[in-house]
């Protein structure tokens, strides 16, 4: 007896959008104060909308801060035809197909980030077909996750403004506060952290982020001084690729060391994990190539008993963190709010899953207005 392939649907079209989201205020972290970058004025986003013959739709996105947005869009447009006619359920196989379509430019960096929008859209579509929030499709361990805010603690803000931002953030239901450090004057960093800790009191979770701007001796010295402030973690004290330096620092401190947000592959994260270089892993699904790759990382992190705190893109990461076996943190950023019609519910220090299927977000009309380039690939007629 012959059998037919178990194909229930096929991808009929892929629509890509390059979006430039303007930020209300230029943003400065330590990389600006050390002269390595200019203040950030916008976020470049790549959206992928995948449609199937049966009428299902999936939405995914990736992003780039400062440079890289046009490169992601160009690569995505070039490999998108590989998806047409394929079964959208075969997400792992399609990820490999897209990687091999662009194998000449590698398996990390902008090439992998371009694939993330497709991969996330496919997972969104699969969860919608199942009628489930993405976290429930993956297998949730909880219906809410601890969350902390970053967008109110940048270095262009005065200490008094950071205190005010923190008060408003905590009043809104967010559970923790992260502030930026890494100034050329480490004494000023310590003064700012001390002032914020005193203002918040001992019971509020507080994190700091140096954005890779310390060398090894400075990191060792400043991190020891920071231990008195009872921080949840010290983030990116060294260059993101300095695995040995992070490992040495992690062994010497009582405070947790966090890193991983700048890495763009499972292999790069594996080096951190293998060396014992972090206590808190901070993968970013759009940067590592999407949800398929993030899930591989989450398995590695759990096997090594690591804490998880995904970077940025909370609309995606609330689902992935909810499916992590160990209690995670999710980063709250309000920058992307104008892009979506929906808002995540936040209360009691936690970010809550909605009952909406998939990622649970739809694009706003303002997103269309900020679109600078589009491309659509359809099945041949």
């Amino acid at each position: 007896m012959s059998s037919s392939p178990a194909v229930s649907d096929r991808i009929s079209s892929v629509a890509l959008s390059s979006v430039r989201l303007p930020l209300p205020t230029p943003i400065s972290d330590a990389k600006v104060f050390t002269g390595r970058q200019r203040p950030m004025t916008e976020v470049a986003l790549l959206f992928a909308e995948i449609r199937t013959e049966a009428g299902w739709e999936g939405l995914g996105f990736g992003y780039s801060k400062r440079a890289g947005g046009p490169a992601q869009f160009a690569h995505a447009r070039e490999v998108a035809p590989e998806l047409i006619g394929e079964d959208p359920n075969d997400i792992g196989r399609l990820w490999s197909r897209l990687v091999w379509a662009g194998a000449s430019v590698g398996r990390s960096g902008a090439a992998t980030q371009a694939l993330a929008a497709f991969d996330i859209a496919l997972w969104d579509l699969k969860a919608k077909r199942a009628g489930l929030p993405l976290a429930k499709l993956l297998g949730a361990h909880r219906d809410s996750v601890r969350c902390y805010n970053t967008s109110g603690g940048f270095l262009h803000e005065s200490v008094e403004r950071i205190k005010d931002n923190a008060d408003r953030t905590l009043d809104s239901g967010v559970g923790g506060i992260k502030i930026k450090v890494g100034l050329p004057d480490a004494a000023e960093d310590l003064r700012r952290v001390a002032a914020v800790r005193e203002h918040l009191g001992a019971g509020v979770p507080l994190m700091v982020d140096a954005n890779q701007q310390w060398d090894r001796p400075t990191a060792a010295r400043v991190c020891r001084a920071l231990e008195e402030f009872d921080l949840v973690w010290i983030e990116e004290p060294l260059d993101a690729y300095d695995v040995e330096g992070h490992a040495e620092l992690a062994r010497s401190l009582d405070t947790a060391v966090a890193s991983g947000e700048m890495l763009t592959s499972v292999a790069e994260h594996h080096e951190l994990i293998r060396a014992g270089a972090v206590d808190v892993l901070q993968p970013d699904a759009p940067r590592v190539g999407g949800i398929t790759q993030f899930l591989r990382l989450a398995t590695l992190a759990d096997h090594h008993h690591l804490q998880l705190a995904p970077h940025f893109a909370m609309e995606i990461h609330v689902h992935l963190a909810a499916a992590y076996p160990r209690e995670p943190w999710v980063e709250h950023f309000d920058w992307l709010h104008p892009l979506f019609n929906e808002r995540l519910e936040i209360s009691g220090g936690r970010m809550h899953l909605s009952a909406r299927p998939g990622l649970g977000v739809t694009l706003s009309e303002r997103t269309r207005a900020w679109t600078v380039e589009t491309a659509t690939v359809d099945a041949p007629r």
Side-chain angles (χ1 to χ4, degrees), residues 123-144:
W123 280 102
D124 180 53
L125 191 156
K126 179 172 278 194
K128 286 174 178 173
R129 176 184 276 119
L132 295 170
L134 177 60
K136 296 294 185 179
L137 179 74
L138 298 175
H141 285 266
R142 58 195 66 82
D143 291 331
S144 66

Side-chain angles (χ1 to χ4, degrees), residues 81-94:
E82 299 292 330
L83 294 173
I84 301 301
E86 295 290 340
D87 187 337
N89 293 295
D90 299 341
I91 300 176
R93 181 178 64 82
L94 293 179

Side-chain angles (χ1 to χ4, degrees), residues 162-178:
I162 290 175
K163 291 178 185 178
D164 292 341
N165 291 343
D167 289 342
R168 286 194 298 273
T169 295
L170 295 172
D171 287 344
S172 74
V174 174
I177 300 295
K178 188 172 80 178

Side-chain angles (χ1 to χ4, degrees), residues 20-28 32 38-44 64-66 335:
R20 294 281 181 173
L21 172 67
L23 299 176
T25 303
I27 303 299
S28 294
V32 173
R38 297 175 181 175
M40 181 166 42
T41 59
E42 64 182 13
V43 179
S64 178
K65 298 175 181 177
R66 300 179 175 89
W335 293 358

Side-chain angles (χ1 to χ4, degrees), residues 177-181 189 193 206-211 214 223 226 229 231-237 255-256 258 282:
I177 300 295
K178 188 172 80 178
I179 68 171
K180 299 291 187 172
V181 293
D189 278 332
V193 175
L206 177 63
M207 305 82 163
V208 301
D209 182 359
N211 287 112
W214 291 327
C223 288
L226 286 168
F229 300 113
L231 302 174
V232 179
W233 68 65
I234 300 170
E235 184 172 332
E236 287 193 327
T255 305
Q282 298 181 298

Side-chain angles (χ1 to χ4, degrees), residues 344-359:
L344 291 167
E345 178 190 346
I346 297 173
S347 63
R350 302 183 72 84
M351 191 177 293
H352 301 266
L353 293 175
S354 79
R356 297 184 295 270
L359 293 177

Side-chain angles (χ1 to χ4, degrees), residues 307-318:
Q307 299 178 61
L308 187 76
H311 168 255
F312 202 59
M314 62 186 184
E315 294 80 6
I316 299 167
H317 289 135
V318 64

